[in-house]
Amino acid sequence: MATDKQTPPQQQESGSESISSVLSEKRKFPPPTEFSNAAHISSMEDYEKLYAEAAKDPEAYWAGIAEQFHWEKPWEKVLDWQPPYAKWFPGATTNICYNAVDRHVNSWRKNKAAVIWEGEEGDQRVLTYAELHRQVSKFANVLKIAGVKPGDRVAIYMGMVPELVIAVLACARVGAVHNVIFAGFAAHAITERVNDSKAKLIICADGTRRRGSTINLKNIVDEAIVNTPSVRSVIVLKVTGEEVNMHDGMDHWWHDLMGLAMDHNEPEFVDAEHPLFILYTSGSTGKPKGILHTTGGYMVHAANSFKYVFDIKDEDIYWCTADVGWITGHSYLVYGPLLNGATLMMYEGAPNYPQWDRFWDIINRHKITILYTAPTAIRAFIRAGDEWVTKHDLSSLRLLGTVGEPINPKAWMWYHTVVGQEKCPIVDTWWQTETGGILVSPLPGATPTKPGTATRPLPGIMVDVVRKDGEPCKSNEGGYLVIKKPWPSMLRTIYGDNKRYEETYWSEFKDMYFTGDGARKDEDGYIWIMGRVDDVVNVSGHRLGTSEVESALVAHEAVAEAAVVSRPDDLKGNALIAFVTLKDEYQGDMKLREDLRNHVSREIGPIAKPDEIRWAQGLPKTRSGKIMRRLLRELASSKEIKGDVTTLEDSGVLEQLREQEEED
Ligand code: PRX
C-alpha cells in the first residue's frame, strides 16, 4: 500500500456549522477549569514534563509506578528486552488479585463498595471490598479443590454477573490463566478457544438475560465440549434457573462447591512474567489469535492508565459498559478500577431494555460520575432520539470516555452536548487487545480535545506515524501507527504461536510494533486514527480513510450510520461504496443518494465522493459492535461471502443487504 501520496487535509469553509469530517475538524475544547483544578494532572505543561521525563528514562518511569504495588519479591531489573520478546520486572513476584482486593481490605476501603451490580430486571447487589475478598478467596479454594494449578488454563463463559469478576480474580489468585469467552459466542467459538488454550476447567452460568429473554449458556457449553478433550470439569453458576443437564462427574454447581469451601485463601505469588490471561481477538480475519498477557507489567499499566485517563477519585462511581468478554472489560471494568480501589458499576442487560433510556436511568439512579462506552452505542442512542437522554438528570456525570473505533465528530459532539451537557471532558482512548491498556488518550484535566482524535500518547508510550519504509511521516501525512518502545502491558506472544506473533506485529517495521492502524499526526502532535490499514483505500492515487468518509456521511441529517468500503476499479484503482442506514423519517427519499454523494464531496473533497450508495436496514456487526467491513467489501464487489461469518451478531442483516443488491 502506498503511503506517500497523501493529500493535505481539506480545509472547511469557515463558519459552517455542519463541519464534521475528520479531515477538517478544527474545533478544540480545553478542559473545564473546575475539572482541571481538581485533576491528577491539571495542565498541558505537567503532561509535557511527565512525558519528557518518561521518554528520557522509561525504565525509571515504570519502576516508579510499579513501586506503588505490593511485590512479594522485588525485581532484579525493570526490563529485559530481546526484541520482540519483553520481560518486565524479571525476578519479582506478585499477585494481581492481592493488589486489586486484599490491599484495599487492609485499608479504610474495606467497607467501600467495590461492585454495584444491576440486572436487566432491576435486581441489584453491592459487594464491598471485604465481601469481594471473601467470595474471591472462597472461589479460589474451589478452584484448588477442582485441581487447578498455577499455569492451568480456565475458560469462563458467563453473562455480566458479579461472579464473573469473582471467577476472573480467583483464577489470578491461584495463578491460573483465565480465558474469558464472550457469552454471545456460539459453541464452535468456545470449542476453538478451549482447544487452542487446552483449558482444564470451564466456569459457566446456567443462563444469562438479554432483552427480556434468557439464553441457556450451559446448553451451549454442553454442545461445545463434545470436542474438547482437555476439559475435566465444568462449574455452573445458577443465575436464571434455566433447566440444565448436569453430567455426573463432570458438572458441579457453583453454590455446592462454595458451600464446602473455606473463607481463607493465601494468594499464590507468581513471577511477574507469569501468564495472567489469554484473550482471543475477534475472528473477523482467519483463526482467532490468543493474545497472551502476563502479570506484573499488565498490572502496572492497567492500574496507572486507569488512574490518569479517568482521573479516578475515591468518590467516583465509574461505569464501563463493555462486557468482560472483551479487553476493555478486562482492563477497565475489572483490573484497572479494582487496582485503584474504585467503585465500579456493572450491568447485565441491553442498553435499550425495557426502553432506550436504560443507560441514562442507571446513571441517574446510581449517580454515575464517569461513563466509558463505545461509539457504536453512542450512534444507536443518537438514532433513538435525544428525548431518552434529556428526560433524566445526568448532572452526576463529570467525565465521559469512548473506545473501540474512531468516533465520528458528529457523535463526539452529541456525546459532549447531549450527554455531557458541555461540562464533561471526553477521553477518546486508543488501544487494542494486544496493548493491554490505553496508549493514546487525552488526560482529561490537561489535554484540550478535538472531536475525533485520541490526541497524544500517555507518558512512557512512544508512538509514531511512519511511512512504509519506517521513516516518520510529515505532519498530517497519513501513514502507519507504530509503537517504538516496549511498554509493560504489551502482549507477550500469540498463545502457542510465536511465529505468528513475530510476523503479525514485528515484521513490517524493524524493532517497532505495528498496530495495523492507519493514522496521521496533526500539527499539535495529535493522533487521528484512520481505521485499520485494510480500511484505508487509495482512490485515484490519493489515500483516504474510509472512516473519514463515514464521518462525513453521518454528519448528514438523514444518516444514522454508514460504513464505507472499497471495490477495485479500472479507472481509479479503487471505487468507494457506502452502505448507509437512514433515519426512519428519511426512508424512501429517492433523491437522497445524489444529495449524500454531493454532501461528501463538499465535506472532504470530490475525491471522497462515494461511487455508489446502498441503503442498509442495518450493518453487519460482530457481537462486540464492530462493523464487519470484510463482508461489506465482498458484497460491494458482488463476490460470494467467503470465510467466517460466525462472529456476526445478526445474520438477517446480510440477507437484507443481498436482497437490496438485487433490487438495485
Ligand atoms: O483500529 C483500532 C480500533 O480498534 C482496534 C483494536 O480493537 P480491539 O483489539 O478489539 O480493542 C478494542 C478496545 C481497546 C484498534 O486497532 N480502535 C480502538 N480504539 C480506538 C480505535 N480506533 C479509533 N479510535 C479509538 N479510540
Side-chain angles (χ1 to χ4, degrees):
M1 180 181 304
T3 56
D4 50 358
K5 286 266 180 86
Q6 176 77 5
T7 44
Q10 309 289 312
Q11 298 300 314
Q12 283 289 327
E13 291 146 18
S14 58
S16 160
E17 255 313 291
S18 66
I19 298 174
S20 280
S21 120
V22 174
L23 274 175
S24 56
E25 187 56 56
K26 292 283 179 229
R27 287 170 287 201
K28 212 167 184 173
F29 296 84
T33 315
E34 211 183 312
F35 191 101
S36 290
N37 287 344
H40 293 316
I41 297 189
S42 55
S43 70
M44 251 346 226
E45 291 72 48
D46 288 354
Y47 160 79
E48 300 280 12
K49 202 166 142 239
L50 197 60
Y51 191 87
E53 263 172 41
K56 209 164 135 213
D57 190 350
E59 292 183 25
Y61 171 75
W62 292 117
I65 295 164
E67 272 157 19
Q68 297 158 26
F69 298 90
H70 173 84
W71 302 84
E72 192 69 2
K73 232 175 84 193
W75 51 87
E76 284 150 15
K77 62 198 277 203
V78 177
L79 171 66
D80 175 0
W81 177 227
Q82 316 274 343
Y85 296 97
K87 287 191 181 135
W88 282 89
F89 311 109
T93 62
T94 188
N95 184 286
I96 193 169
C97 174
Y98 180 89
N99 276 290
V101 183
D102 303 44
R103 246 181 349 135
H104 309 307
V105 177
N106 301 332
S107 79
W108 68 267
R109 291 193 180 103
K110 61 179 174 293
N111 290 324
K112 181 179 173 178
V115 180
I116 300 176
W117 176 85
E118 183 168 312
E120 206 173 57
E121 298 305 322
D123 30 344
Q124 298 190 13
R125 284 163 66 190
V126 177
L127 273 79
T128 61
Y129 273 94
E131 181 58 15
L132 181 64
H133 179 250
R134 203 174 71 83
Q135 301 269 346
V136 170
S137 301
K138 269 170 95 80
F139 197 66
N141 286 329
V142 167
L143 292 176
K144 285 188 160 179
I145 296 167
V148 174
K149 302 262 176 327
D152 284 349
R153 274 79 58 210
V154 173
I156 304 177
Y157 185 68
M158 304 164 89
M160 288 279 285
V161 288
E163 284 80 1
L164 171 53
V165 177
I166 292 166
V168 162
L169 292 168
C171 284
R173 193 171 186 87
V174 303
V177 185
H178 55 77
N179 167 24
V180 182
I181 303 172
F182 174 55
F185 277 131
H188 169 73
I190 304 176
T191 309
E192 201 172 20
R193 286 158 175 73
V194 165
N195 284 341
D196 190 73
S197 62
K198 299 197 179 50
K200 201 174 185 177
L201 172 74
I202 300 184
I203 304 165
C204 73
D206 56 350
T208 184
R209 296 197 174 83
R210 192 76 181 172
R211 264 182 218 110
S213 56
T214 61
I215 302 160
N216 189 317
L217 299 177
K218 173 66 168 58
N219 280 353
I220 301 172
V221 169
D222 288 347
E223 193 188 330
I225 63 170
V226 173
N227 296 315
T228 54
S230 60
V231 176
R232 310 258 178 82
S233 39
V234 179
I235 298 178
V236 188
L237 175 76
K238 192 173 267 193
V239 174
T240 54
E242 304 292 300
E243 210 167 296
V244 295
N245 297 319
M246 296 295 281
H247 304 100
D248 268 355
M250 179 69 139
D251 299 340
H252 309 272
W253 284 110
W254 172 296
H255 55 262
D256 286 345
L257 298 174
M258 285 291 260
L260 301 172
M262 289 191 313
D263 279 5
H264 179 79
N265 175 275
E266 282 297 320
E268 184 78 31
F269 287 101
V270 295
D271 198 272
E273 278 300 329
H274 185 77
L276 175 64
F277 66 86
I278 302 169
L279 187 61
Y280 288 83
T281 53
S282 134
S284 49
T285 49
K287 180 175 177 273
K289 296 181 280 202
I291 304 302
L292 181 76
H293 283 286
T294 59
T295 305
Y298 174 82
M299 171 172 83
V300 167
H301 186 61
N304 190 61
S305 56
F306 179 77
K307 177 175 174 184
Y308 289 105
V309 170
F310 296 104
D311 188 48
I312 198 75
K313 309 275 167 54
D314 262 312
E315 313 78 85
D316 278 314
I317 305 193
Y318 159 89
W319 184 20
C320 165
T321 67
D323 195 287
V324 179
W326 311 113
I327 190 68
T328 306
H330 280 60
S331 302
Y332 300 111
L333 191 149
V334 181
Y335 287 116
L338 296 177
L339 284 162
N340 280 280
T343 297
L344 66 94
M345 175 77 211
M346 182 177 191
Y347 168 58
E348 181 197 23
N352 58 350
Y353 186 85
Q355 305 192 91
W356 271 107
D357 62 344
R358 185 58 186 264
F359 272 25
W360 321 116
D361 182 42
I362 289 178
I363 290 169
N364 176 30
R365 278 187 292 105
H366 293 279
K367 302 293 169 232
I368 304 292
T369 57
I370 304 172
L371 173 69
Y372 190 32
T373 194
T376 185
I378 295 168
R379 291 193 301 266
F381 292 129
I382 296 174
R383 193 177 182 192
D386 294 6
E387 58 281 9
W388 292 112
V389 189
T390 52
K391 72 181 196 185
H392 292 281
D393 175 5
L394 304 183
S395 57
S396 59
L397 284 174
R398 67 180 194 94
L399 176 61
L400 304 173
T402 141
V403 60
E405 55 180 320
I407 179 165
N408 305 126
K410 181 182 171 187
W412 195 102
M413 286 306 296
W414 184 87
Y415 203 26
H416 171 70
T417 50
V418 181
V419 180
Q421 321 262 292
E422 298 184 17
K423 71 177 176 59
C424 303
I426 295 180
V427 285
D428 174 354
T429 61
W430 177 89
W431 58 297
Q432 309 176 300
T433 306
E434 292 87 340
T435 67
I438 297 166
L439 298 194
V440 183
S441 168
L443 293 176
T447 319
T449 50
K450 301 182 199 175
T453 164
T455 75
R456 303 269 297 266
L458 298 185
I461 304 298
M462 267 49 95
V463 302
D464 207 352
V465 178
V466 299
R467 296 179 181 164
K468 208 173 176 62
D469 61 6
E471 286 303 308
C473 287
K474 293 193 297 245
S475 180
N476 280 317
E477 182 188 2
Y480 301 93
L481 186 66
V482 295
I483 307 169
K484 297 197 305 190
K485 286 253 157 68
W487 67 103
S489 63
M490 64 193 278
L491 79 163
R492 298 304 194 260
T493 191
I494 292 175
Y495 188 72
D497 199 345
N498 284 352
K499 191 160 166 273
R500 191 171 178 197
Y501 167 70
E502 290 165 19
E503 279 168 3
T504 310
Y505 305 107
W506 301 95
S507 64
E508 204 76 30
F509 302 103
K510 189 168 166 7
D511 290 348
M512 292 196 277
Y513 168 89
F514 178 42
T515 62
D517 279 353
R520 69 183 170 92
K521 196 157 67 167
D522 73 10
E523 54 288 352
D524 292 327
Y526 284 20
I527 306 285
W528 296 75
I529 304 294
M530 295 159 77
R532 303 293 302 186
V533 278
D534 41 10
D535 297 333
V536 174
V537 289
N538 192 316
V539 180
S540 301
H542 298 278
R543 287 194 49 183
L544 280 171
T546 47
S547 72
E548 296 172 325
V549 185
E550 290 163 11
S551 283
L553 281 167
V554 296
H556 191 283
E557 57 182 6
V559 176
E561 200 166 23
V564 174
V565 295
S566 65
R567 175 179 70 200
D569 182 271
D570 285 347
L571 202 61
K572 304 158 96 180
N574 284 293
L576 291 177
I577 317 300
F579 292 84
V580 173
T581 307
L582 291 174
K583 289 185 185 151
D584 287 345
E585 63 271 34
Y586 290 92
Q587 302 277 352
D589 184 343
M590 298 312 282
K591 79 180 203 355
L592 262 175
R593 265 204 179 96
E594 213 30 49
D595 281 357
L596 287 180
R597 295 181 69 233
N598 291 334
H599 169 78
V600 175
S601 181
R602 270 197 310 276
E603 291 283 325
I604 303 178
I607 186 70
K609 196 171 180 172
D611 298 85
E612 201 179 314
I613 292 196
R614 292 202 193 161
W615 303 134
Q617 293 297 323
L619 296 171
K621 290 185 185 161
T622 62
R623 291 186 177 89
S624 62
K626 280 203 190 340
I627 296 168
M628 293 185 78
R629 289 191 168 70
R630 175 178 62 83
L631 298 185
L632 293 176
R633 272 196 295 275
E634 289 176 1
L635 278 173
S637 311
S638 303
K639 276 194 275 183
E640 245 181 82
I641 303 292
K642 288 203 276 298
D644 190 13
V645 291
T646 54
T647 51
L648 196 60
E649 205 214 15
D650 177 3
S651 53
V653 165
L654 208 56
E655 272 317 305
Q656 183 271 324
L657 287 170
R658 278 203 189 102
E659 281 161 23
Q660 161 84 31
E661 192 187 335
E662 278 155 24
E663 280 164 29
D664 288 349

